[in-house]
Amino acid sequence: MNDPEAFAESAVAEIRESVGDGRAVIALSGGVDSSVTAALAYEAIGDRLRPVYVDTGLMRAEETTEIEATFGYMEGLEIVDARERFLDALAGVTDPEEKRHVIGEAFVREFEREARAIEADYLVQGTIYPDRIESEGGIKSHHNVGGLPERVDFEGIVEPVRELYKDEVREVARALDLEELIAERMPFPGPGLAVRVLGEVTEEKLEVARAADTVVREELEEHEPWQALAAVIGKGTGVKGDNRVHGWIVAVRSVESRDGMTARAQELPWETLQRVQSRITSAHPDVARVVYDVTHKPPATIEYE
Ligand code: XMP
């Protein structure tokens, strides 16, 4: 992509052509990719677009409120409370790839339901190039690609930013005057906190992951990581007050990257790391230990699952 404005124009034309005079639903996640895709689709088909945000219960703190604030300008914004359905579907699922498939399937079923309500035939998605490469290359099936169920009840899936890298999507966001907040937002995976709690997804682990994520975002913002995250990676022994506890181990990861395909673990000051540790262990009574991940990608991936 050379010129983000020219790209936006041709993407709008492409969406118009694909959807014709039909209707479409778009999945909003609050991330840059889906926000840019939604803006392009809204420009292309206006009120024939139904923007849908599914509250999966796997999102960060305040995510739903932020979505309402950011996308409230679009007519017909629909916020679906699917927390129970997602948690039920994930019960007992421990394998990372299976988690992604379960989540992919649960998402599509939500969109199908919304689509039926307005008789939409198309699903618009913010899939980007690395999502496809990593899914096709067998690294991870990103939930909006490899995680799709085989039978999808849509006439077509429209993916206007499918050839772009993350930094290019950000350029388009700026060209579209989307708030800096969105353009500069840290990437957040579609399956949300489900891939940041190892093994089975439980309400308890999600609560720890959410509390830790808030600390990480607040404390590391000034170091401008490409992406920073906290993951619940297991349990270990600790001492809290006068008691031995068997508490959660939280891993903190902060990386520098250009496009997420490779990444370097960020060198952070000891004081910063200690502050993060101290805030996370006090944010939740059942956290016994915080570790900082110094592994680059490769060999590790950015997310834990
Ligand atoms: P990994 O962990 O593969 O992450 O090194 C590279 C970038 O992709 C994000 N990621 C995902 N995004 N669905 C998404 O939409 C997924 O299943 C998924 N898995 C990882 C990750 O947050 C990082 O920015």
Side-chain angles (χ1 to χ4, degrees):
M1 181 191 74
N2 295 324
D3 175 355
E5 265 131 38
F7 172 85
E9 245 173 68
S10 68
V12 167
E14 186 200 320
I15 299 166
R16 272 194 196 126
E17 190 174 328
S18 309
V19 179
D21 52 14
R23 294 169 193 275
V25 286
I26 166 126
L28 291 176
S29 71
V32 189
D33 310 339
S34 79
S35 303
V36 166
T37 305
L40 294 169
Y42 192 64
E43 163 121 14
I45 59 171
D47 64 6
R48 288 184 290 121
L49 179 75
R50 172 119 152 177
V52 177
Y53 168 73
V54 178
D55 182 355
T56 57
L58 304 169
M59 310 306 284
R60 293 173 283 197
E62 306 303 325
E63 196 97 39
T64 305
T65 321
E66 283 177 23
I67 292 274
E68 276 173 331
T70 313
F71 298 102
Y73 78 93
M74 293 184 179
E75 280 173 60
L77 170 67
E78 183 76 22
I79 296 185
V80 183
D81 182 356
R83 287 177 293 181
E84 236 180 88
R85 291 193 285 279
F86 274 75
L87 267 192
D88 285 353
L90 283 165
V93 181
T94 53
D95 176 74
E97 281 301 278
E98 203 187 331
K99 275 190 198 174
R100 282 192 165 77
H101 282 93
V102 167
I103 292 170
E105 168 119 24
F107 262 115
V108 168
R109 298 301 166 236
E110 296 296 328
F111 298 131
E112 284 173 349
R113 184 174 325 117
E114 290 304 312
R116 273 196 300 275
I118 61 154
E119 294 180 10
D121 291 322
Y122 295 88
L123 176 67
V124 184
Q125 286 207 126
T127 312
I128 62 171
Y129 192 60
D131 296 342
R132 288 187 11 221
I133 311 241
E134 298 206 338
S135 285
E136 283 160 16
I139 299 172
K140 283 181 191 180
S141 45
H142 283 198
H143 88 92
N144 47 1
V145 191
L148 278 187
E150 267 171 31
R151 219 191 63 79
V152 176
D153 194 11
F154 283 102
E155 194 167 310
I157 295 184
V158 186
E159 298 179 320
V161 296
R162 66 188 174 278
E163 302 294 339
L164 302 190
Y165 283 94
K166 185 74 86 184
D167 52 333
E168 296 176 313
V169 180
R170 291 206 169 108
E171 282 178 44
V172 179
R174 281 187 284 272
L176 292 172
D177 278 333
L178 287 180
E179 294 168 64
E180 281 296 292
L181 186 70
I182 297 179
E184 302 307 330
R185 228 164 179 218
M186 259 186 226
F188 186 67
L193 299 176
V195 292
R196 294 185 181 172
V197 299
L198 265 55
E200 188 179 5
V201 179
T202 62
E203 197 55 79
E204 189 189 356
K205 288 185 196 167
L206 289 174
E207 222 175 77
V208 174
R210 210 172 276 124
D213 170 78
T214 303
V215 173
V216 164
R217 279 198 289 163
E218 284 173 12
E219 292 293 339
L220 300 191
E221 192 182 4
E222 65 176 295
H223 297 282
E224 298 180 351
W226 188 83
Q227 188 169 10
L229 59 94
V232 178
I233 59 170
K235 279 197 136 180
T237 304
V239 190
K240 276 197 149 180
D242 293 331
N243 301 319
R244 274 173 87 85
V245 292
H246 192 54
W248 295 110
I249 304 173
V250 171
V252 173
R253 184 147 174 69
S254 188
V255 298
E256 288 159 355
S257 179
R258 196 180 72 84
D259 52 23
M261 302 288 282
T262 60
R264 286 190 68 78
Q266 204 177 19
E267 252 182 68
L268 292 174
W270 181 246
E271 303 77 59
T272 306
L273 291 171
Q274 278 303 325
R275 212 168 34 246
V276 168
Q277 173 278 121
S278 148
R279 281 192 59 194
I280 294 177
T281 45
S282 28
H284 202 285
D286 297 329
V287 176
R289 196 179 291 258
V290 174
V291 297
Y292 184 61
D293 190 336
V294 297
T295 325
H296 306 312
K297 174 183 179 177
T301 52
I302 296 176
E303 302 291 344
Y304 273 75
E305 285 194 331

